[in-house]
Amino acid sequence: MARTCLTIILAAGEGSRMKSATPKVLHELAGKSLVGHVIGSAIKAGGDTQAVVVGRDADLVEAEARRFSDDVVIVEQKERLGTGHAVLCARDVIARGFDDILVVTGDTPLLRPESLLRLRRAREHGADVVVLGFRTDEPFGYGRLIESDGELLAIREHRDCSDEELKIRFCNGGIIALNGDRALEILEAIGNDNAKNEYYLTDAVEIARSKRMKTSAIEADENELHGVNDRYDLARVEGIWQSNRRSELMRSGVTMQAPETVHLCHDTVIGTDTVLEPNIYFGPGVEIAEGVQIRAFCHLEGVRIAAGAQVGPFARLRPGTVLKEDAKVGNFCEVKNAAVEKGAKINHLSYIGDARVGAKANIGAGTITCNYDGANKWHTDIGAGAFIGTNSSLVAPVKIGDGAYVGSGSVIVSDVASDALAIARGRQVVMEGRGREIRERNARIKEERKKSR
Ligand code: UD1
Ligand code: CA
């Protein structure tokens, strides 16, 4: 029979060093909350049950946790008395009985499911308490793993370390696996006699040893176990995540001309042979097919782009935008909630919102869909092969038929039939010689003003 596993995610800490009105674990990494990243990894590691320990703004953290799994158990820690106390708040869930209990801090978002699986394997091989550690040149603030002859003797919190212990570079990543049958026995023995008067989960190691249980440490990469305690840490884990994800995408066949200037989101999908020029920002919900060209300085969010399309430079694609095969959105264009069908072109300086642009339609420079009347949004429908002359305003709701022409500079307020021509602007008037008369008059005025000074 497969081993059962409970994951307890600690997300009740004050996070006061974030200096934020938002609880720490709700801060985002690649557009997804820190706690969301951790729950995702716990689920991937095959946990049967996830319990999230929440504190400050419990309802907000609970709502966020439920977005990732309907059946997470939410446990409230009313007072922040330390990580050991936080785990014990899940006492009732632990008492249901599990082979493995994984305790994961909610502020280590880079943790990979593979590492949780390694902890579970060590449990399978008989260890009662297994700690995921990492080696670092910057151990400041982390608990140190004290070993002897390859055995883990204790975890000492930074503040409680002797000068000798402070030199240790092998640190606690904050992720611990416990023998489910003995977890309560260990946790209940944790006291708060230390520099912070907190119940430290890390004491579990020494307690287990005093009860003759087996303890060990497993090493993971430093980059995976960075904890987020302040915004500097947050930026650092973001940098690591971005760099990892960019490497994956490049190895899967995406060209990035200046990778370090491409900012991805947790759910960004990009197909092979797509080329990204420098300086591109991906918000949530972007899906790009094969062979797409995204030129420099684009901002994309909530967008689906089909094969062969071209975007930018300097384009902003907002949520609800769909570009079909070979569509083009050029420089200084904004597109929102609009379907741009096969081969259609919006090449320069346009705003297309709440609209459909039919296949092969051509939208002239400076075309604006006037979609908003101050209270409601309205739809603009542009037929296949239509030609919208430059600097036109299409006042929605309005429909331009297939193959219709709109003269440059028009303000279109009513529907245009297929293949029709619509012009809606002042007629041109030409007065022979009048230009010279005006020039001569202005020169005269200038002379008279000079004399009178
Ligand atoms: C903790 C570890 C430290 C380890 C580091 C790794 C302890 C005592 N220390 O330190 O050994 O090197 O993580 O990042 O475990 N939390 C609660 N309730 C509490 C206190 C904390 O839910 O009462 C949660 C926090 O939300 C956070 C996590 O537990 O997600 C860790 O707490 P934090 O205060 O950040 O611990 P560190 O000092 O970083
Ligand atoms: Ca921490």
Side-chain angles (χ1 to χ4, degrees):
M1 223 184 79
R3 301 170 64 83
T4 56
C5 177
L6 163 67
T7 313
I8 300 173
I9 295 155
L10 305 186
E14 280 295 321
S16 57
R17 282 164 57 199
M18 296 297 280
K19 306 223 183 336
S20 176
T22 304
K24 175 163 81 172
V25 295
L26 296 189
H27 280 261
E28 290 189 349
L29 162 63
K32 178 163 146 185
S33 65
L34 300 182
V35 71
H37 282 272
V38 174
I39 295 175
S41 291
I43 292 173
K44 279 194 196 140
D48 307 285
T49 305
Q50 334 298 329
V52 183
V53 181
V54 301
R56 171 187 161 190
D57 297 316
D59 41 346
L60 292 181
V61 179
E62 170 169 359
E64 176 66 6
R66 294 218 182 281
R67 290 182 50 211
F68 299 93
S69 163
D70 292 333
D71 44 30
V72 291
V73 182
I74 303 294
V75 177
E76 208 177 327
Q77 185 190 24
K78 295 221 163 60
E79 286 175 289
R80 251 55 73 209
L81 300 179
T83 48
H85 177 261
V87 178
L88 256 188
C89 291
R91 180 188 272 116
D92 292 349
V93 196
I94 297 171
R96 290 186 202 170
F98 294 89
D99 296 314
D100 301 334
I101 292 178
L102 294 175
V103 180
V104 180
T105 43
D107 63 354
T108 41
L110 299 175
L111 172 71
R112 294 179 315 132
E114 291 78 7
S115 300
L116 291 176
L117 287 169
R118 283 173 63 209
L119 288 177
R120 294 190 63 190
R121 237 170 280 137
R123 275 275 310 121
E124 225 177 313
H125 290 118
D128 297 292
V129 176
V130 194
V131 176
L132 195 61
F134 63 100
R135 279 176 216 280
T136 177
D137 290 335
E138 297 169 71
F140 187 89
Y142 290 107
R144 308 298 206 282
L145 300 187
I146 307 200
E147 289 183 304
S148 161
D149 295 332
E151 276 196 55
L152 180 64
L153 304 183
I155 307 176
R156 192 88 69 236
E157 284 308 292
H158 185 97
R159 290 185 189 220
D160 299 305
C161 281
S162 66
D163 287 346
E164 263 321 288
E165 288 167 339
L166 283 176
K167 291 182 191 149
I168 299 174
R169 292 174 186 288
F170 194 23
C171 295
N172 173 22
I175 288 108
I176 295 183
L178 299 170
N179 177 346
D181 293 335
R182 311 211 48 188
L184 285 178
E185 180 191 340
I186 299 171
L187 295 167
E188 274 160 358
I190 294 176
N192 66 349
D193 181 18
N194 52 52
K196 277 172 91 182
N197 287 114
E198 279 189 3
Y199 295 85
Y200 287 162
L201 170 64
T202 45
D203 287 350
V205 173
E206 269 175 300
I207 291 167
R209 290 192 70 82
S210 73
K211 293 174 183 287
R212 302 194 175 285
M213 291 185 235
K214 255 188 89 184
T215 57
S216 63
I218 283 181
E219 188 176 338
D221 192 89
E222 167 179 13
N223 280 344
E224 198 184 328
L225 290 174
H226 277 301
V228 175
N229 291 326
D230 59 24
R231 303 214 196 208
Y232 175 79
D233 296 333
L234 185 64
R236 182 139 107 165
V237 295
E238 179 82 52
I240 294 169
W241 188 94
Q242 291 290 335
S243 155
N244 290 344
R245 184 70 189 122
R246 286 190 299 251
S247 307
E248 280 172 15
L249 284 170
M250 289 185 277
R251 295 217 162 87
S252 75
V254 175
T255 296
M256 297 187 191
Q257 294 176 348
E260 60 292 344
T261 67
V262 173
H263 190 90
L264 301 159
C265 193
H266 67 99
D267 59 354
T268 307
V269 175
I270 308 180
T272 55
D273 286 326
T274 283
V275 175
L276 306 182
E277 289 187 5
N279 295 297
I280 300 172
Y281 179 91
F282 292 94
V286 178
E287 227 176 280
I288 299 179
E290 297 74 39
V292 171
Q293 201 181 0
I294 312 281
R295 306 199 53 200
F297 298 100
C298 288
H299 190 287
L300 296 81
E301 194 179 349
V303 183
R304 282 206 329 265
I305 303 179
Q310 277 187 51
V311 178
F314 297 97
R316 177 167 183 212
L317 303 185
R318 292 171 51 201
T321 296
V322 176
L323 306 187
K324 298 279 174 60
E325 286 77 5
D326 305 317
K328 265 184 87 174
V329 175
N331 39 258
F332 307 108
C333 292
E334 173 178 343
V335 182
K336 183 211 75 167
N337 187 32
V340 182
E341 297 183 342
K342 247 181 155 169
K345 289 182 185 152
I346 307 167
N347 273 339
H348 333 268
L349 301 147
S350 286
Y351 171 62
I352 302 295
D354 302 305
R356 175 186 75 102
V357 179
K360 297 228 160 126
N362 192 308
I363 308 297
T367 297
I368 305 290
T369 53
C370 309
N371 60 326
Y372 187 47
D373 59 14
N376 301 296
K377 303 279 170 69
W378 300 98
H379 192 260
T380 299
D381 192 82
I382 301 169
F387 183 94
I388 312 297
T390 56
N391 197 32
S392 294
S393 300
L394 308 176
V395 183
V398 72
K399 194 170 163 65
I400 314 292
D402 292 350
Y405 261 74
V406 168
S408 298
S410 291
V411 177
I412 299 293
V413 296
S414 45
D415 292 355
V416 180
S418 293
D419 298 322
L421 165 67
I423 306 175
R425 55 167 135 94
R427 261 186 184 282
Q428 183 166 324
V429 178
V430 179
M431 298 179 200
E432 296 292 343
R434 183 72 179 129
R436 188 181 53 230
E437 281 171 31
I438 292 171
R439 191 167 59 247
E440 289 170 358
R441 184 199 61 192
N442 289 349
R444 249 189 339 267
I445 294 172
K446 194 173 174 181
E447 276 308 302
E448 279 160 18
R449 280 184 160 188
K450 238 193 236 165
K451 275 184 217 151
S452 69
R453 238 186 268 136

